[in-house]
């Protein structure tokens, strides 16, 4: 699958369109998460899927009620239920943070 690097212009690598839909984070290693979050997109123009490295790295957190980057409470979980690592995005600074789910969490 085509991959767009973190600091390049965000365009579809197949047709060059800037219109795409975010499909979700891609499972990756904790070492890669400290560099960037790998996400999957679908181009709205040609329909092809591609991977993109998000410029902001993921920081590991133990508590997720506030953003670890800016302390905002505007946090949205972006990972799917049952994921090995919960990914959250701050709606204020767009930073990412992650935490391992507790074994008692339902998902």
């Amino acid at each position: 699958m085509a991959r767009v690097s973190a600091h390049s212009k965000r365009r579809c690598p197949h047709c060059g369109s800037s219109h795409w839909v975010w499909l979700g984070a891609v499972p990756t290693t904790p070492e890669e998460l400290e560099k960037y979050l790998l996400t999957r997109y679908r181009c709205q123009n040609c329909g092809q899927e591609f991977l993109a490295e998000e410029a902001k790295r993921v920081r590991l957190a133990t508590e997720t009620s506030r953003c670890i980057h800016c302390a905002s409470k505007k946090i949205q979980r972006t990972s799917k239920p049952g994921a090995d690592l919960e990914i959250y995005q701050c709606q204020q600074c767009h930073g990412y943070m992650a935490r391992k789910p507790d074994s008692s969490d339902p998902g």
Side-chain angles (χ1 to χ4, degrees), residues 6-89:
H7 298 289
S8 66
K9 200 170 200 174
R10 185 64 56 88
R11 300 271 185 197
C12 172
H14 304 284
C15 71
S17 173
S18 62
H19 302 285
W20 31 260
V21 177
W22 187 82
L23 298 177
V26 175
T28 188
T29 65
E31 294 78 25
E32 281 183 314
L33 281 174
E34 290 182 6
K35 297 177 191 171
Y36 52 79
L37 177 65
L38 191 60
T39 55
R40 196 173 78 229
Y41 291 93
R42 178 179 296 120
C43 178
Q44 289 180 315
N45 185 49
C46 70
Q48 295 290 316
E49 290 186 12
F50 61 96
L51 300 176
E53 300 169 357
E54 297 293 339
K56 289 195 175 198
R57 68 184 182 93
V58 175
R59 291 183 59 191
L60 296 177
T62 55
E63 200 275 319
T64 55
S65 65
R66 289 185 170 269
C67 175
I68 199 167
H69 302 280
C70 72
S72 170
K73 290 185 177 182
K74 298 176 184 174
I75 304 298
Q76 180 180 12
R77 182 176 170 169
T78 61
S79 57
K80 293 184 179 358
D84 292 338
L85 201 59
E86 295 173 346
I87 306 290
Y88 296 84
Q89 184 179 28

Side-chain angles (χ1 to χ4, degrees), residues 88-99:
Y88 296 84
Q89 184 179 28
C90 177
Q91 301 303 294
Q92 184 167 315
C93 74
H94 303 289
Y96 293 97
M97 56 186 186
R99 79 173 181 98

